[in-house]
Amino acid sequence: MLGPELITKLPPMTTANPTNAADPRPALRAFPREDLIQFIEDAGFPAFRGKQVFHWLHRKGVRDIAAMKNLPADLRQWLIENTRLGGVDGIERALVSTDGSIKFLLRLRDGLKVEAVLMPGSGNNADKMTLCVSSQVGCAVDCKFCVTGMNGFYRNMTPDEIVDQVLITRAHLEQLDDGRFLRNIVYMGMGEPMLNPENVIASVRILTDQEGVNISNRRLTVSTSGIIPGLEKLAAADLGVGLAISLNSPTNAERQDIMPITRKYPLEDLLDTVARFPLRTRERVTFEYVLLGNVNDSAAHARQVAKLVKRVPCKVNVIPFNPDPALPYERPEDEAIANFQQILLDANLTASIRWSKALDVSGACGQLAGQSRQRTE
């Protein structure tokens, strides 16, 4: 393959219950299992039917209520009339990167669009795919090295929309039938998950349910720029998921320039909150550090980072900036990248360089644009 490949043969994503912004019916995929069982019971059907519906929705990823064959006809009809499947209406476009990643532009029920990216593992783990999901349409945080927020913030995504990203991309992998499978989920797509904590937490409960998609909580990571109230809600939920913090500078003054949210949530308060985050045995917080050439990539920066994070069981992902014509930054020199990592290693930190995937389809860290991309293509 010489370049990004546009996928033109996509699985049909229409349902018997097409959705739109004016549809008031509850979305079935938005219910955690116990809530769905109660919902079905309240409608006058046996509780075990709710569990069956949950299996159809999440184990099998059904996209048509009429296909739930082991349900009685009266329940299926009631569901068709009174509920909708919800979530994503379809795949608008999919691009395959030369590295095997797949970037999806997904159409939501109100016509807005978000992006999600499937990325292969490395070496012998190339068949193990990681899905980067979005949690908001647009972003209000406005990190200066990321294009997602350049066109503003539209709205939070609902649990069914978040979950459906997983179900649709999983179905796409199954259709390809090339041995690759979904192993990890990271909330690192469009938007700030911790500005939408209730819906993110609900979606995590659904995705990690053993009766459904059954993603291990240890294979699910939530990333944040440091929204402290949201972090506190995630900690209180005690979901056992991984936590990633977008750090990007060791000082408040510099971080405010590239991450304005720092003015509201200073680094010292953020680190205090992260230090209290519940971790399982051998778990560590991940600090993500985007290296911007001649901005935050010096040896002095690396030494400050090592001093700042040493109080937290952690590892550091060093991410060379992914260039975009709309952004004023440059990728650091390879020597600066290697030196930054080595200083962290010399400080007895676990530090790795995360070479981004899907660069050629604008699917790498900081490149997901959704709405604004559509307006320029």
Side-chain angles (χ1 to χ4, degrees), residues 83-246:
T83 71
R84 55 184 174 85
L85 292 177
V88 179
D89 278 350
I91 300 175
E92 188 84 2
R93 183 172 63 248
L95 288 170
V96 178
S97 167
T98 53
D99 63 27
S101 300
I102 308 172
K103 184 178 79 167
F104 298 88
L105 181 65
L106 303 171
R107 185 179 63 256
L108 306 180
R109 65 184 185 275
D110 57 3
L112 293 176
K113 297 163 189 174
V114 296
E115 292 176 337
V117 185
L118 273 170
M119 299 167 288
S122 302
N124 294 333
N125 293 316
D127 58 337
K128 300 175 178 66
M129 304 291 281
T130 295
L131 177 64
C132 182
V133 298
S134 294
S135 56
Q136 294 182 309
V137 186
C139 187
V141 176
D142 194 27
C143 298
K144 300 306 180 182
F145 49 85
C146 177
V147 300
T148 304
M150 293 185 68
N151 200 43
F153 170 72
Y154 290 77
R155 64 172 175 83
N156 284 330
M157 294 180 68
T158 55
D160 49 300
E161 290 171 331
I162 298 171
V163 168
D164 229 357
Q165 293 174 79
V166 178
L167 298 176
I168 282 179
T169 53
R170 183 185 67 177
H172 184 81
L173 276 179
E174 291 171 353
Q175 185 186 52
L176 292 176
D177 193 26
D178 58 7
R180 294 185 293 177
F181 63 95
L182 179 61
R183 192 186 197 198
N184 306 297
I185 297 173
V186 292
Y187 285 68
M188 297 181 184
M190 295 175 61
E192 165 53 64
M194 292 295 90
L195 285 177
N196 187 19
E198 290 82 5
N199 290 334
V200 165
I201 289 169
S203 69
V204 169
R205 294 191 191 283
I206 294 167
L207 291 170
T208 56
D209 193 307
Q210 294 182 353
E211 298 288 338
V213 178
N214 193 23
I215 291 287
S216 168
N217 52 12
R218 292 182 179 270
R219 299 203 174 278
L220 194 152
T221 300
V222 176
S223 178
T224 178
S225 61
I227 309 299
I228 290 176
L231 266 173
E232 290 173 340
K233 290 180 180 179
L234 183 66
D238 197 19
L239 301 172
V241 300
L243 175 65
I245 302 294
S246 185

Side-chain angles (χ1 to χ4, degrees), residues 294-367:
N294 300 312
V295 175
N296 65 350
D297 62 341
S298 70
H301 284 103
R303 288 190 290 268
Q304 287 176 296
V305 168
K307 184 177 180 180
L308 181 70
V309 304
K310 66 180 181 180
R311 59 184 286 204
V312 178
C314 69
K315 57 184 177 180
V316 181
N317 277 344
V318 178
I319 309 171
F321 171 67
N322 298 313
D324 188 281
L327 300 176
Y329 303 106
E330 296 180 354
R331 194 179 183 93
E333 298 293 333
D334 288 350
E335 183 179 359
I337 298 170
N339 286 343
F340 198 97
Q341 180 197 25
Q342 190 59 52
I343 291 170
L344 298 178
L345 293 172
D346 291 343
N348 296 317
L349 289 170
T350 299
S352 58
I353 300 173
R354 197 176 88 191
W355 300 105
S356 296
K357 298 181 184 295
L359 277 167
D360 55 342
V361 293
S362 296
C365 176
Q367 293 186 322

